[in-house]
Amino acid sequence: MTTMATLNDVRSNLIQRGYPPEQVDAMLDLAGRMMLEGALASKDDLNQLRNEFAEFKVEMNQRFAEVHVEMNQRFAEMRVEMNQKFAEMHIEMNERLAEMRVEMNQKFDDMRVEMSERLAEMRVEMSQKFAEQDVRASNFENRIIKWVFGAVFAGVVLNTGITSLLLVILPRLVD
């Protein structure tokens, strides 16, 4: 890799990181002079170049610090804005959920009323059926009681008749 290719890569990387092209070119020019003239330059020239390079580094560090502070401020502003939007969305979602709760509660109340009405109708139907069953059972019991009473009465009458006959016939037979 040649020195020019390396310097071009360094230049493009610095510009991509946000450093102004003029300052990057000035730094590379300074670095180039240092490399080319290093052997021919005096100590004062070298010290001056080193001082210029050190000043450039300090200036770049300051600029980077400023950019860093600016980015932190932008991020803080974005955080505040996002928090506000999330708060608005949260409020909106709570309102929608409250509306849905009201609708669902209304539907449940309607269902509860409908079910209560249906259960009341079923209770009435069941009470009527039980009443009909009670009437049928009562009629059946009355018929059975009448039949049993009739049978018992007939048995008593028959028994009395037989006893009366025996009382009348038996003395005559014995005589």
Side-chain angles (χ1 to χ4, degrees):
M1 185 176 253
T2 66
T3 304
M4 285 308 291
T6 303
L7 289 176
N8 284 336
D9 289 343
V10 168
R11 181 180 187 278
S12 64
N13 283 335
L14 289 173
I15 290 172
Q16 284 178 351
R17 289 187 182 179
Y19 296 108
E22 308 84 38
Q23 290 180 349
V24 172
D25 291 337
M27 182 193 71
L28 291 176
D29 183 49
L30 179 63
R33 280 188 288 147
M34 288 173 68
M35 289 188 321
L36 292 174
E37 298 172 4
L40 303 173
S42 66
K43 282 190 172 193
D44 289 337
D45 290 338
L46 289 176
N47 286 336
Q48 182 184 355
L49 288 174
R50 280 189 193 113
N51 289 340
E52 288 178 18
F53 188 70
E55 289 174 12
F56 178 75
K57 280 175 51 181
V58 168
E59 186 179 326
M60 287 295 112
N61 285 337
Q62 288 174 344
R63 177 149 169 80
F64 182 72
E66 290 170 1
V67 168
H68 186 68
V69 167
E70 185 179 326
M71 290 303 294
N72 284 342
Q73 288 174 344
R74 286 184 185 168
F75 282 131
E77 291 170 0
M78 286 174 59
R79 257 188 236 112
V80 168
E81 185 178 328
M82 291 304 292
N83 286 342
Q84 288 173 343
K85 286 183 180 180
F86 280 129
E88 291 170 1
M89 285 176 55
H90 185 65
I91 290 170
E92 185 178 324
M93 290 303 294
N94 282 343
E95 289 172 353
R96 286 183 183 171
L97 287 173
E99 291 171 1
M100 287 175 62
R101 265 189 229 109
V102 167
E103 289 177 19
M104 293 303 290
N105 286 340
Q106 182 62 41
K107 287 180 181 178
F108 284 133
D109 288 343
D110 293 346
M111 286 175 57
R112 214 175 286 126
V113 168
E114 185 179 325
M115 291 300 290
S116 294
E117 291 172 354
R118 182 65 185 136
L119 287 174
E121 291 171 5
M122 288 174 66
R123 274 190 219 110
V124 168
E125 289 175 15
M126 292 304 290
S127 295
Q128 288 173 348
K129 287 181 182 180
F130 284 135
E132 291 171 5
Q133 278 301 106
D134 286 345
V135 168
R136 279 191 221 131
S138 177
N139 289 341
F140 185 70
E141 287 175 8
N142 286 340
R143 278 187 273 149
I144 290 175
I145 290 172
K146 286 178 184 177
W147 187 82
V148 168
F149 180 75
V152 168
F153 184 73
V156 168
V157 167
L158 186 63
N159 212 7
T160 306
I162 291 172
T163 309
S164 299
L165 269 176
L166 283 174
L167 284 175
V168 170
I169 295 179
L170 216 86
R172 285 189 191 168
L173 280 179
V174 178
D175 278 324

